[in-house]
Amino acid sequence: MKTLDLVYSTMLAELGQRSLDGAFATDFPLDGNFVSIPVKDRHYWYFDQPGQKRRYVGPAADPEIAARVSDFQAIKDDIRSRRKLVSTLTREAYLPSPERLSGDVVEAMANAGLFRLRGVLVGTVAFGCYAGLLGVRLPNASLQTGDADFAQDFAVSAEVLDSIPPILDVLHGVDPSFRAIPHQSGKAGSTAFVNRSGYKVEFLTGNRGSDENTGKPSPMPALGGASAEPLRFLDFLIYEPVRAIVLHGSGIPVLVPAPQRYAVHKLIIATRRLADEGGSTKSQKDLMQSGILFEAMAETRRSDDLALAWSEAWSRGDAWREALTKGLELMPGKAASTVRQALLDGFGRLKENPEKFGIL
C-alpha cells in the first residue's frame, strides 16, 4: 500500500484547518458580496446574494462592520487558494475526490450546519476521507458509490436545541428533483430522499433500545424535518468521530467515524447484508473496505487502535462476537490473514491476550 508524501500530508492538514476556519468565520453566504451604497452623503454596507433581496448590514464608518467586510473578502480570496490546494491534492497526490453530486450534497449539508450539530458523514464518501487521514492511497474500486449517508445520535439531535433548515430546501438547492421517499413501514417521517436519476441521500441513527424500534423511522429534532433509520451497531460506528476534509470545491470540513471503528463496523455489517436483496455485492464491498483499512492502519502503525476497537465490540455481547467471527470468516484468505496479523500486533502492543477476543 503506497503511503502519501509528507509534503502532501502537510498540505492536507493546512487545507483542513483553513476550511474549518472559513466555515466559522462568517455569517454571510460566500456566493454573495458586500456593496457600499451612498445614502445622503453617507455610505452604508449592504449584502447582495443571487436570487435574494439585498440585506442592510450597517454604516461603512462603523469600524467593527468594516472589519467584518474585510474579513469576508479575505475568506473569499482564501477560497480561491484552497481550491488550488484541492486540485493539487487530487491531481498530483492522487487523493480521492467524490463525484460531483456527492460532493455537492455533502457541501450543502455542511453549509446547512449538519456537522456543526455533530452529524457524521458515513458510508463510501466518508471512506474516501481515510486516504488523507491515514496518509495512504486507496483503490478506486473501493470508492464507487451512488448515494450519500449521514448519521446522528438521537440524544445529540434532541439536546442541541438547534436544527438545520428544512431538509428538502437544502437538497433542492443541489437538485430540485429531490423528493422524500415514504418510509417502508408506512409510518410518518422520511429517512431517505432521492432525485430523478436515483441518487439517494439517507439519514441513520443508532438503535440500542428495543427491537420494536427496528424498521420504524426515528424523529430527529436537528435534521430539518427528516427522520432517521435506527440501525443496530451504528452507535459503535459514530462514537467519537474525527474531523476530516472532503476534497471537493475548496475543501469541506466534515466529521467521519474513526477509521478503526469504520473497519470493525464494516466487518460486522458484512454479515448482516447477506439476507438483504442484492446483499452479497454490498457485503463484498464492506469486506473490501474493512480489509483495506486494516491493512492501511497496520502499515501506518495504528494496529493498537484496531485492537482497542475490536475489544470494545467483542465486549458488547454474544451477537457482536458472532458477527465479528463470521465477518472474519467471510474475508478472502489473504485479507483475513492481514486482519488477524494486525490484531495480533495490536493486542501485543496493548499487552493483551488475543485469545480473549477471538483471535487465535
Side-chain angles (χ1 to χ4, degrees), residues 109 112 163-173 193 223-226:
M109 291 298 172
S163 176
I164 65 174
I167 190 62
L168 274 178
D169 289 354
V170 175
L171 292 175
H172 285 166
F193 303 81
L223 293 186

Side-chain angles (χ1 to χ4, degrees), residues 122-166:
V122 296
T124 297
V125 182
F127 178 79
C129 295
Y130 296 131
L133 275 175
L134 298 176
V136 297
R137 292 179 183 170
L138 302 176
N140 288 334
S142 64
L143 301 167
Q144 297 172 3
T145 187
D147 53 22
D149 299 322
F150 303 92
Q152 188 183 52
D153 183 83
F154 174 78
V156 170
S157 195
E159 291 170 4
V160 294
L161 303 179
D162 197 356
S163 176
I164 65 174

Side-chain angles (χ1 to χ4, degrees), residues 114-125:
L114 177 64
F115 304 110
R116 176 176 59 83
L117 301 180
R118 293 163 62 190
V120 183
L121 176 66
V122 296
T124 297
V125 182

Side-chain angles (χ1 to χ4, degrees), residues 69-223:
V69 172
S70 177
D71 289 345
F72 180 86
Q73 187 56 50
I75 292 168
K76 293 194 73 169
D77 291 341
D78 189 52
I79 285 176
R80 298 185 185 94
S81 175
R82 285 175 7 222
R83 283 183 176 274
K84 292 180 180 178
L85 284 175
V86 170
S87 177
T88 298
L89 288 166
T90 55
R91 187 183 65 253
E92 296 182 11
Y94 303 105
L95 288 176
S97 177
E99 52 83 28
R100 180 156 295 278
L101 181 55
S102 292
D104 288 347
V105 167
V106 173
E107 185 173 38
M109 291 298 172
N111 291 341
L114 177 64
F115 304 110
R116 176 176 59 83
L117 301 180
R118 293 163 62 190
V120 183
L121 176 66
V122 296
T124 297
V125 182
F127 178 79
C129 295
Y130 296 131
L133 275 175
L134 298 176
V136 297
R137 292 179 183 170
L138 302 176
N140 288 334
S142 64
L143 301 167
Q144 297 172 3
T145 187
D147 53 22
D149 299 322
F150 303 92
Q152 188 183 52
D153 183 83
F154 174 78
V156 170
S157 195
E159 291 170 4
V160 294
L161 303 179
D162 197 356
S163 176
I164 65 174
I167 190 62
L168 274 178
D169 289 354
V170 175
L171 292 175
H172 285 166
V174 177
D175 181 347
S177 74
F178 270 108
R179 61 176 178 82
I181 302 175
H183 197 269
Q184 60 184 1
S185 68
K187 300 287 185 179
S190 293
T191 64
F193 303 81
V194 67
N195 71 356
R196 66 166 60 94
S197 65
Y199 188 92
K200 191 176 181 182
V201 176
E202 189 166 10
F203 295 92
L204 312 169
T205 193
N207 180 13
R208 298 190 69 178
S210 168
D211 285 338
E212 294 178 0
N213 297 328
T214 302
K216 298 178 182 178
S218 174
M220 303 291 284
L223 293 186

